[in-house]
Every structure is written in C-alpha cells, then in structure tokens.
Amino acid sequence: MHRPFKKYDAGSVTSQGDRAGVVRLPLTDTDGGSSAGVAASRPVERAAAPHPWSRYVALGDSFTEGVGDPEPRSPGGLRGWADRVAEELSVGHEDFAYANLAVRGLLLEQILDQQAAPALALNPDLITLSGGGNDLVFRGTDPDKLAAKLDAGVERLSATGATIVLFAGPDWGGTPVIGHNRAKIAIFNENIRTVAHRHDAVIADLWALQELADPRMWDPDRLHFSPLGYHTIAKMVLDTLNVPHTLQPNLPKDLPESSWRHARAEDLVWARNYLVPWVLKRIRHQTEEELRAKRPVAGPVFGSELPG
C-alpha cells in the first residue's frame, strides 16, 4: 500500500535527479584528463555511450508520442523527444531495445491503467513517464489528487528497480486561455518532485528549460512542441541522465539514411501494422479511428539493423 500523499509537500529532487541507477561518469579531454567543464558545443563521438540501460519503455500521452514532430520514416509517422533519446542511447549498444506506449489524449489515470502493465511485461530498466497535462489543462483536476494517482503509479513502476524519469510540466503562462492553469501546473510540478523524492526517481524539468520560451520550440497549436522543441527536450533528458550524446543546441538531427535491407524491413512492418488493419477496417465497415501505441513492442531503435 502506498503512503498517503501530503498536500504541498515539496521534494528536493533536482533536474539532475538522484536515481541510484544513473551513472555519472566524467567526460574526458583529448589528452586523457577528466573535465567536467567540457564545452557544450563540442560534439561527442558516436561511440558507446557509458550508460547501464538496455531496455527503455516510454509511457505517456501526445507529448511522449511526439505529436508536432512528423517523420514519415518513424513508426506512427512521428518522432518526438523519446525517439531521439532512444536513438542516442542505442549507439554502441547492439542489444538496446525501445518501446513507446504513449497515446495522445489520455488522462493520467488512463495512462497508468492502460500502459503500466504492458510496460512492466517488457522488463524495462529505464522508464519515462509523463502525464497529467490533459487533466490539468482540459479537466481542471485538483493537482494534489492528481499527484496521489501519480504516486501510486510510480510506486508500482519503481518496484521493478528500473530507473524512472518523471517530467515537470512546461510553463504555459504566456499561452492564451491555457495560461490560467499556470498556478495548478506549478503546484503539480512541486508535487511531482515529492513523488520523485519518495521513489528515488529522476526529474526532467521542462519548467526550468529556458529555451522553451522561444516560440520556435512550439507547434503552431501552442500545445505541442515543434521538431526543434522535441530535440531540445531530448538533449535535456540525456543531460539529466548524464549520458554523453551528439545532440547540439538548435541543430535537430535527421534520422540516419536507411539501407535497402532496412527499408525492406520497414515496409514489412508498415504493411503488418498499418496496411492490413486499414484494409480489414474497410472490409468490416469500421469508421472510428483507433489510436494505438506507435512502438508497442520493445525492439531495436532503427529496425532490423543499427546505423554504423
């Protein structure tokens, strides 16, 4: 049974997190010396990133699905921050697997009810969970009651021993209409810090990510992020996990070019996941759109083979 959540009990976990599973290895200068102050603009070589994770599962709503970041070559036609994080984590780790269970429009309770069990069945050692924005912005949910649901969900996920990453929501203060929820979002963010502290989770702090004040970071709908915004968030998540990466400020990376064999494998996956269900739906005269996770099964980030 999880402990009752205390109202306004702000925790102390920072955007760097305190998760025991996070490896904090120093970066190294070219002369072999250790340097914690390596310039942010220096690219990191595409070598094996020193991290302990081999199976990453992302849970959430449209934010984690990647709405606003269209990419025809990605499953579901979207990329987003989670795909970009997985791309970097997979470098040099041939056994690395990634699943993304996020579905747009879900409330926090729906995310936990529908995605927690499938996520645990995949035996992840890294889990990211983002949710609650739809509750606060569109349902006016009390942030303390929402935090109690989050606390119970994180307790269940953290029992696996996996590294858990939670997200403090962005500051929508300058957004018309939605901006009036700013106080609730701020309170919920503090509650999220308490949950993270209680369960030794890591906080990826969107509220403190100053780059998100740039309008270029947002989709025209002002609810979701642009490709540049998701790139910036992915960079922040990797920095929070202290994983060396190749993401540079304001320079979103393209997906690697696919080989013929990889492209053929993607065609087969597309036919199985999209073409066949589409045909069957027409045969059965089903008209309602079914929203499903874009990566329901943990597998290689780039399909049948990894880029060199």
Side-chain angles (χ1 to χ4, degrees), residues 197-270:
H197 181 69
R198 284 159 58 87
H199 301 292
D200 199 20
V202 178
I203 290 288
D205 196 344
L206 298 179
W207 186 281
L209 192 57
Q210 297 180 355
E211 292 93 329
L212 297 185
D214 188 333
R216 296 177 301 165
M217 299 287 173
W218 294 84
D219 186 78
D221 68 7
R222 301 187 186 184
L223 293 173
H224 302 100
F225 293 96
S226 66
L228 178 59
Y230 283 120
H231 166 84
T232 302
I233 292 167
K235 180 178 179 299
M236 180 269 289
V237 172
L238 291 163
D239 289 341
T240 298
L241 292 172
N242 202 40
V243 175
H245 57 81
T246 63
L247 304 187
Q248 300 301 303
N250 299 316
L251 292 173
K253 293 176 58 177
D254 292 330
L255 279 175
E257 291 298 326
S258 298
S259 66
W260 179 89
R261 189 176 68 174
H262 187 192
R264 177 62 177 163
E266 287 180 337
D267 288 343
L268 294 175
V269 171
W270 170 80

Side-chain angles (χ1 to χ4, degrees), residues 19 21 51-59 89 95-101 115-129 153-154 156-165 295-299:
R19 185 73 182 176
H51 68 76
W53 303 292
S54 61
R55 182 162 292 222
Y56 164 36
V57 178
L59 289 71
L89 293 177
D95 62 342
F96 185 83
Y98 162 55
N100 189 319
L101 307 182
Q115 298 174 21
L120 295 176
L122 295 173
N123 297 315
D125 51 17
L126 175 63
I127 299 172
T128 58
L129 170 62
V154 174
R156 181 183 180 188
L157 295 172
S158 64
T160 64
T163 299
I164 310 294
V165 180
R295 287 178 179 263
V297 178

Side-chain angles (χ1 to χ4, degrees), residues 272-307:
R272 183 179 69 244
N273 292 343
Y274 300 100
L275 178 60
V276 172
W278 184 86
V279 172
L280 291 176
K281 182 183 294 185
R282 269 44 183 187
I283 293 174
R284 297 169 182 168
H285 304 289
Q286 295 176 348
T287 58
E288 292 187 3
E289 183 68 21
E290 296 179 1
L291 296 178
R292 291 180 290 177
K294 64 179 186 178
R295 287 178 179 263
V297 178
V301 176
F302 296 99
S304 60
E305 59 184 26
L306 297 174

